[in-house]
Amino acid sequence: MPVVITGTGSALPSNIVTNDDLATIVDTSDEWIQSRTGIKQRHFKSEGQTTSTLATEAAENAMKSAGVTAADIDLIIVGTATPDLTFPSVATMVQANLGMEKGAAFDIAAACSGFIYALSVAESMMSSGKFKRALIIGSETFSDMIDKDDRTTYVLFGDGAGAVVVENMTDEEANGSGVIGTEIYSDGRYKNDLYASGGVSFNKTTGNIVMNGREVFKHATRAMSGLVTDTLEKYNITKEDIDWLVPHQANKRIIDATAKHLGLSSDKVVLTVSEHANTSAASIPLALDVAVKDGRIQKGDTIFFEAFGAGFTWASALVKF
Ligand code: ACO
């Protein structure tokens, strides 16, 4: 059964922090941050906001856009690396916030690739018909994890959440729309190039981000190009068939390299890194919602999603919207 995206939504904290604001805290500059990453500003959560409250807001907006209520949802999957608590999951917190008393809800830990991993798992669970309608959410509050003693990572991250409603349909109902295919990969040998330095069974802390930026950059660029080639080959489509690239928003230079490999001009790339910075698992559904709401992405468009993150993990999804 085709699994179709029927609604999108997002949530961004109102607190906007510019590069100049950060330059009052760490030794950096707007020029350095923009030229290396494309980031101009990010949103940081305010008092009382958490990963689950942002996820709930994004979910409510996605349900509104799909024209459904919580009673219609039977599955929630949240991609996150910054949960409110070690357990229970953010997904079950969202479930309670939405007033749902049925269905299944769980989180996926795949760092920046979390949203595509969640979409991939949902598609497997739904295409058999076992679940009818799901909320797939990426939500993060990295502002709690950045370390002002490390200016390289301090300037990269932001908070936010994005969500989609996906539904399994008959071929007739789907009318050509649906997830065409998802690819998920990981290689745990690169653990030490990107990680959070805390954990329950390691040191009972949440830790800070530790990143070997150059290695991440190198592997991300290579993995994204590989994903493009593999996906086009596997689904027998050409570069011309792709209407939109909606990439993980970590770094404009990585996105530019992927777009070049796809032969896509910059007006076919949804770019939000300048406004949102890197919101990890939230960045793709946030960017998707922006481009759907402003009318760029239309029903029937073919979208290529791709992401790279800690693990290393990397993933892509090809979707007929
Ligand atoms: N402001 C000013 N100068 C800085 C800053 C800063 N914020 N950070 C580092 N510098 C300095 C360094 O100290 C260094 O100075 P030096 O030459 O005097 O020693 C110089 O800038 C260059 O530092 P590099 O780390 O080599 O900078 P680079 O050009 O590699 O850019 C960056 C760093 C932007 C992090 C880049 O490597 C990158 O984008 N990597 C990929 C990151 C990424 O995509 N992460 C996504 C995954 S995140 C996740 O999964 C949770």
Side-chain angles (χ1 to χ4, degrees), residues 169-180:
M169 295 181 173
T170 62
D171 286 329
E172 205 178 0
E173 287 167 335
N175 194 25
S177 291
V179 176
I180 299 165

Side-chain angles (χ1 to χ4, degrees), residues 186-231:
S186 62
D187 190 339
R189 289 174 299 170
Y190 296 100
K191 182 192 108 188
N192 292 333
D193 286 321
L194 182 55
Y195 62 97
S197 59
V200 177
S201 69
F202 179 59
N203 57 7
K204 295 186 189 172
T205 69
T206 37
N208 294 316
I209 298 160
V210 181
M211 181 171 76
N212 181 348
R214 287 204 174 166
E215 278 303 300
V216 175
F217 190 92
K218 194 174 80 190
H219 286 278
T221 313
R222 197 180 297 152
M224 292 305 100
S225 296
L227 270 179
V228 168
T229 310
D230 292 352
T231 307

Side-chain angles (χ1 to χ4, degrees), residues 78-81 108 110-116 137-140 142 160-162 248 278-286 307:
V78 177
T80 188
I108 279 188
C112 299
S113 309
F115 176 77
I116 302 181
I137 306 169
S139 187
E140 304 280 15
F142 264 89
H248 169 47
N278 182 350
T279 57
S280 184
S283 86
I284 288 177
L286 262 167

